[in-house]
Amino acid sequence: LDHVLLASDGKFVRVTFIKKDGSTRVLNGRLGVKKHLAGGVSTLDAEKFVTIYDIQNKGYRAVNRETIQEVAIDGVIYVA
C-alpha cells in the first residue's frame, strides 16, 4: 500500500496504520508538504518510513511502511 500512498501526488490521504506501541491510528494528511520544514535533514530511513504532514495535529508524522493497513485517496479505499 505504500506505493499507492507515494503516488497520491499531493492529494489529501487517510492512512490507517499500527503505531510503534501496537495501537491503531488513523491519520489525515498530505505527502510533500514543505511549508513547515525547519531546515534540518531527516534521519529517518526512507526505505522503511513515509513522512506525512498531519493536518489535524499540524505536524509531520512518520508511518512505518510495513504497518499500513488502509489508504484512502479521493474516496477510493485500498486495504492491505
Side-chain angles (χ1 to χ4, degrees):
L1 288 178
D2 59 334
H3 62 282
V4 173
L5 186 59
L6 293 172
S8 65
D9 197 32
K11 295 178 183 174
F12 286 98
V13 297
R14 184 184 76 228
V15 182
T16 305
F17 63 99
I18 307 299
K19 291 177 20 177
K20 193 175 185 178
D21 66 4
S23 62
T24 301
R25 169 136 193 243
V26 177
L27 185 150
N28 292 300
R30 286 179 50 201
L31 274 70
V33 174
K34 299 189 184 326
K35 182 177 181 180
H36 305 285
L37 289 175
V41 177
S42 175
T43 58
L44 292 175
D45 180 0
E47 295 292 318
K48 188 170 181 178
F49 296 98
V50 176
T51 302
I52 302 175
Y53 185 76
D54 183 342
I55 57 173
Q56 291 173 322
N57 295 308
K58 295 184 171 70
Y60 293 95
R61 302 292 180 257
V63 176
N64 187 331
R65 294 173 184 242
E66 297 175 4
T67 65
I68 296 173
Q69 304 291 307
E70 183 179 285
V71 175
I73 303 171
D74 287 338
V76 180
I77 300 172
Y78 303 90
V79 180

